[in-house]
Amino acid sequence: MTTLHTEHRSHTHAHGPSCGHTAVPHGDHTDYAHDGHLHREHAGHWDECETDGHHAHEGHAHQHGADCGHESVLHGDHVDYLHDGHRHASHDGHWDDH
């Protein structure tokens, strides 16, 4: 799974533990959910942090929703659910890793 890191040039807000945005663990760094995007600090600026391509999460029997107990994060035109260190999104009858 490749992750795209495109610089978010007009991002002046500094994210951190008390910034008010949801922190999302993502591999070796932390993303922050902000305005439907996921931002990460990188080399003194903020990048959009998006997974490249479609990655189905096989064997994911748990159904996410409003009362599933996992935190939801607005991500573009859909909602991701934070679960076991991943962001899961519903897609064509299965769950994707984002």
Side-chain angles (χ1 to χ4, degrees):
M1 183 181 316
T2 304
T3 303
L4 301 175
H5 296 286
T6 305
E7 185 174 348
H8 188 95
R9 295 188 185 277
S10 63
H11 193 74
T12 57
H13 175 75
H15 292 291
S18 60
C19 74
H21 296 109
T22 301
V24 181
H26 189 206
D28 63 352
H29 63 274
T30 300
D31 294 335
Y32 290 90
H34 184 192
D35 295 335
H37 301 270
L38 292 161
H39 299 158
R40 70 165 285 201
E41 186 174 17
H42 177 248
H45 61 270
W46 292 93
D47 285 347
E48 302 285 346
C49 191
E50 299 295 336
T51 303
D52 181 21
H54 173 248
H55 305 278
H57 185 99
E58 303 296 336
H60 187 72
H62 176 76
Q63 293 301 305
H64 293 291
D67 297 319
C68 74
H70 296 110
E71 187 170 3
S72 62
V73 177
L74 180 62
H75 184 205
D77 63 353
H78 64 275
V79 174
D80 289 346
Y81 292 90
L82 307 181
H83 184 193
D84 295 336
H86 301 270
R87 291 181 293 126
H88 294 164
S90 180
H91 178 250
D92 289 340
H94 64 270
W95 294 93
D96 285 350
D97 274 327
H98 277 188

